[in-house]
Amino acid sequence: MNFEAKHPSVGVIHSLTRAAIGFLFLCHGAASLFGVMGGAAGTHGGTVPFGVWPSWWAAVIQLVCGALVMLGAGTRWAALIASGSMAYAYFTVHQAHGVFPIENNGEAAALYAWIFLMLVVIGPGPWTATRILGLKRRTPAA
């Protein structure tokens, strides 16, 4: 028997955790692109200039993938892109300042990378916008 079927609260927590992680990731992108919630890191409330590599592109990934993961729409693909972007951030920005995330300020990047990778593997959970709105594709009968 499916674990979530036997323990329905697990599916609820799974979906709520996915939505919360997506929302938090979306907030990073919104801060960097629009200067809200304190703005982009290191800009004292400002935004990342348009098109600047990799900062602006990372912010777009955070905003779009965060929204998709939050809603549970295209979760696996969005989480794969988000996980890769956070792994890239960790190894190009943080790793040079120390081996461990606690010493190189890379905890957030490392956690996001691993949590998004987990979502790639386990999926979005039972509560998604696509299921609620009836947009989920039906699998053909076997």
Side-chain angles (χ1 to χ4, degrees):
M1 176 176 243
N2 183 335
F3 185 79
E4 286 185 10
K6 191 172 180 184
H7 304 283
S9 60
V10 171
V12 173
I13 296 301
H14 177 172
S15 296
L16 292 175
T17 301
R18 180 216 4 101
I21 293 297
F23 175 73
L24 294 171
F25 202 58
L26 175 152
C27 288
H28 282 282
S32 296
L33 293 173
F34 308 121
V36 297
M37 298 174 271
T43 65
H44 304 290
T47 61
V48 174
F50 178 80
V52 171
W53 175 261
S55 304
W56 187 84
W57 296 97
V60 169
I61 289 170
Q62 291 166 349
L63 184 72
V64 173
C65 291
L68 290 171
V69 167
M70 181 180 73
L71 295 171
T75 302
R76 290 181 195 263
W77 285 106
L80 181 64
I81 293 166
S83 178
S85 75
M86 288 295 95
Y88 176 84
Y90 183 79
F91 288 111
T92 61
V93 175
H94 301 285
Q95 187 69 42
H97 303 290
V99 176
F100 299 107
I102 194 72
E103 65 184 336
N104 64 27
N105 290 326
E107 300 99 329
L111 283 170
Y112 276 125
W114 285 107
I115 291 169
F116 284 127
L117 184 61
M118 181 183 70
L119 288 173
V120 170
V121 174
I122 67 173
W127 290 4
T128 67
T130 53
R131 284 193 184 135
I132 291 168
L133 297 174
L135 302 173
K136 177 89 171 141
R137 286 184 289 177
R138 297 189 179 174
T139 56

